[in-house]
């Protein structure tokens, strides 16, 4: 028995496929879109004409046609930057940044501000986000309507992407960012775990390496993970997903920022490495903040001579390796990206990571595990939030043909 597809559903699916093909490629021709999507040339011609007339796509302006073969030259299609804009926000320990980004992914305006997040009331954190977004929108002269806001935040978010459940950057729980921002700006808002957004960005930056199965691990003041399985970002039913940093490495072990003991982060977070190298006391209260220069200085000392610094990085690598080995006992080995300032010292940790993995059941296929590093996590967090917002606009608004008129979409 065959199941019929409603005309409206088919139209929406086909529009989504064309928009997705244009977003993924660099100015593809209609013929290239046909090869990618499997849609007929006539269908693509009709859909692209509609999307161009609606101001969603445009024909690329170029002195050279896409194809120089005999016959009618192929004209490239591109995303129309002024079709819409989104706001991507990154909230981390003592830092807030945001940017207004056009539909083609270009940054229009941006701002970064240092905050003392752990001392701020929850309401003040939300107010700072609102104020920064308002300043950016007011300074944007592009005329594009803001259709979505995405926040990448350090900590555990709920599965519905509505609020921050818990975070080491603040003393407060259950902060309803989405509700407040939607009330203020009148557009949908999502609140996403920052490591998940790093994984999202990697998938778009390097789809050949980061595709069906891969892992992104943030090595920063804290330890986080973005996990992609069979092409889908892993999220929990009640939370943002893979809390790798708070898996237990040693029961009743080192004191973690979360208040528990023995977490992977309590050995591999920046504060833990500094604590082991400088204090030699795993029970010492974790530092609230630590500069990137402090970690680089520890790494330089560890490379220069044997001592507590080198031992601290050994412990960090061991904790990460045993955690990964346990994971790979459940999941097939996958490419890994280590992201953040801690990745600049990964050469000190890698031998111990591999040695620990090899001692576990997950180490049976350790030769298939590959590592890569990226020292700056902030652009990845923003790019991930940007892509999450833009893809939502693609699928839920433009593919459906429900884009609001500019006058309706403008934020007062």
């Amino acid at each position: 028995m065959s199941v019929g597809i409603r005309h409206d559903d088919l139209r929406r699916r086909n529009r989504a496929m064309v928009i997705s093909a244009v977003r993924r490629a660099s100015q593809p021709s209609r013929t290239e879109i046909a090869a990618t999507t499997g849609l007929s040339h006539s269908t693509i011609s009709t859909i692209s004409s509609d999307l161009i007339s609606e101001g969603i796509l445009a024909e690329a302006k170029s002195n050279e046609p896409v194809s120089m073969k005999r016959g009618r030259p192929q004209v490239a299609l591109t995303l129309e930057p002024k079709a819409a804009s989104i706001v991507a926000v990154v909230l981390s320990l003592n830092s807030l940044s945001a940017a207004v980004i056009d539909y083609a992914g270009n940054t229009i305006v941006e701002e970064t501000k240092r905050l003392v997040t752990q001392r701020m009331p929850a309401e003040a954190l939300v107010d700072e986000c609102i104020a920064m977004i308002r300043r950016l929108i007011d300074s944007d002269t592009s005329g594009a309507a803001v259709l979505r806001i995405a926040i990448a935040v350090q900590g555990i978010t709920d599965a519905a992407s509505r609020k921050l459940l818990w975070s080491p950057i603040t003393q407060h729980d259950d902060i309803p960012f989405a509700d407040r921002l939607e009330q203020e700006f009148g557009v949908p808002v999502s609140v996403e775990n920052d490591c998940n957004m790093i994984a999202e960005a990697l998938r778009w930056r390097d789809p050949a390496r980061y595709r069906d199965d891969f892992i992104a691990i943030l090595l920063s003041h804290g330890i986080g993970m973005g996990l992609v399985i069979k092409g889908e970002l892993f999220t929990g039913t009640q939370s943002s997903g893979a809390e790798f940093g708070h898996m237990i490495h040693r029961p009743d072990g080192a004191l973690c920022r979360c208040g528990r003991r023995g977490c992977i982060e309590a050995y591999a977070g920046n504060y833990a490495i500094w604590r082991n190298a400088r204090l030699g006391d795993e029970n010492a209260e974790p530092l609230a903040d630590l500069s990137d220069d402090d970690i680089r200085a520890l790494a330089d000392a560890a490379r220069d001579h044997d001592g507590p610094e080198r031992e601290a990085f050994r412990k960090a690598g061991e904790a990460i390796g045993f955690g990964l080995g346990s994971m790979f006992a459940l999941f097939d080995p996958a490419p890994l990206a280590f992201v953040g300032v801690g990745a600049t010292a990964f050469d000190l940790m890698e031998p111990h990571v591999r040695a620990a993995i090899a001692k576990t059941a997950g180490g049976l296929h350790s030769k298939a595990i590959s590592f890569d590093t990226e020292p700056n996590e902030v652009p990845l967090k923003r790019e991930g939030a940007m892509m999450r917002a833009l893809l939502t606009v693609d699928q839920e608004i433009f593919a459906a043909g429900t884009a609001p008129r500019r006058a309706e979409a403008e934020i007062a």
Side-chain angles (χ1 to χ4, degrees):
M1 178 180 177
S2 62
V3 178
I5 300 177
R6 291 174 47 193
H7 174 73
D8 288 348
D9 292 339
L10 181 62
R11 177 176 177 272
R12 176 174 182 161
R13 186 196 69 179
N14 291 346
R15 282 169 63 98
M17 291 172 68
V18 171
I19 294 171
S20 178
V22 176
R23 187 170 293 285
R24 288 186 177 278
S26 178
Q27 299 187 357
S29 68
R30 291 170 176 82
T31 299
E32 290 168 333
I33 295 172
T36 300
T37 63
L39 297 174
S40 69
H41 287 271
S42 60
T43 297
I44 292 171
S45 179
T46 299
I47 291 174
S48 60
S49 295
D50 289 344
L51 293 172
I52 289 171
S53 67
E54 294 168 25
I56 297 168
L57 299 184
E59 292 188 338
K61 297 177 181 179
S62 174
N63 295 328
E64 296 288 339
V66 171
S67 173
M68 298 300 293
K69 296 179 181 180
R70 286 188 297 176
R72 184 176 179 180
Q74 293 290 307
V75 178
L77 295 178
T78 187
L79 301 167
E80 172 52 61
K82 294 183 179 180
S85 63
I86 61 93
V87 179
V89 181
V90 177
L91 178 59
S92 302
L93 178 66
N94 296 333
S95 177
L96 173 66
S97 66
V100 177
I101 298 166
D102 69 27
Y103 187 59
N106 305 304
T107 299
I108 302 171
V109 288
E110 60 184 309
E111 181 182 339
T112 298
K113 183 176 182 179
R114 180 169 175 80
L115 305 173
V116 185
T117 58
Q118 291 179 321
R119 299 179 186 174
M120 296 175 64
E123 191 72 14
L125 271 178
V126 180
D127 287 343
E128 287 284 358
C129 290
I130 290 173
M132 182 174 287
I133 294 170
R134 173 64 63 192
R135 288 193 297 271
L136 292 174
I137 290 174
D138 289 346
S139 62
D140 173 18
T141 59
S142 69
V146 174
L147 298 186
R148 191 85 182 185
I149 298 171
I151 304 176
V153 62
Q154 184 178 348
I156 301 174
T157 63
D158 67 322
S161 301
R162 303 295 302 171
K163 60 185 177 180
L164 179 63
L165 298 177
W166 175 88
S167 174
I169 73 172
T170 175
Q171 300 177 15
H172 308 284
D173 300 335
D174 298 323
I175 304 178
F177 280 99
D179 290 344
R180 280 290 315 280
L181 268 65
E182 286 179 359
Q183 291 171 6
E184 183 72 22
F185 298 107
V187 298
V189 177
S190 64
V191 183
E192 311 280 0
N193 171 265
D194 59 350
C195 292
N196 287 348
M197 294 302 94
I198 288 172
E200 188 74 54
L202 289 172
R203 180 158 47 182
W204 283 88
R205 276 194 181 188
D206 189 357
R209 174 175 170 82
Y210 304 111
R211 188 173 181 178
D212 295 330
D213 300 281
F214 69 91
I215 297 170
I217 296 182
L218 177 63
L219 302 180
S220 186
H221 202 64
I223 303 294
M225 174 180 283
L227 175 62
V228 174
I229 303 174
K230 298 188 183 302
E232 296 294 331
L233 189 64
F234 174 75
T235 57
T237 56
Q238 299 180 32
S239 70
S240 48
E243 285 299 321
F244 177 75
H246 299 289
M247 290 173 56
I248 296 299
H249 171 50
R250 291 182 180 173
D252 301 319
L255 179 62
C256 183
R257 283 189 305 169
C258 71
R260 292 183 286 270
R261 289 185 173 273
C263 298
I264 291 173
E265 181 182 297
Y267 296 88
N270 288 353
Y271 69 86
I273 295 172
W274 185 92
R275 180 173 62 185
N276 280 334
R278 291 288 178 260
L279 302 180
D281 181 4
E282 294 181 345
N283 296 312
E285 192 70 23
L287 289 179
D289 198 3
L290 198 67
S291 74
D292 291 354
D293 288 340
D294 288 330
I295 292 301
R296 294 189 184 99
L298 287 178
D300 289 341
R303 294 187 187 100
D304 181 68
H305 58 268
D306 196 9
E309 297 89 357
R310 189 174 294 178
E311 176 65 10
F313 283 105
R314 184 197 67 77
K315 288 184 177 181
E318 185 180 72
I320 293 168
F322 279 120
L324 289 174
S326 296
M327 287 190 60
F328 290 142
L330 300 174
F331 304 104
D332 289 338
L336 289 108
F338 290 92
V339 180
V341 66
T344 62
F346 189 66
D347 59 305
L348 297 165
M349 293 183 273
E350 181 175 359
H352 310 294
V353 172
R354 290 192 179 276
I357 292 174
K359 293 178 182 178
T360 69
L364 293 175
H365 305 287
S366 58
K367 291 182 179 179
I369 301 169
S370 61
F371 299 143
D372 199 4
T373 58
E374 170 56 56
N376 193 354
E377 75 267 25
V378 175
L380 286 169
K381 292 178 182 180
R382 179 181 292 181
E383 288 173 29
M386 173 189 77
M387 292 311 305
R388 182 57 63 93
L390 289 174
L391 291 174
T392 301
V393 172
D394 290 347
Q395 300 297 316
E396 296 184 7
I397 300 177
F398 288 159
T402 58
R405 292 188 302 247
R406 179 173 297 179
E408 296 173 341
E410 285 179 346
I411 297 176

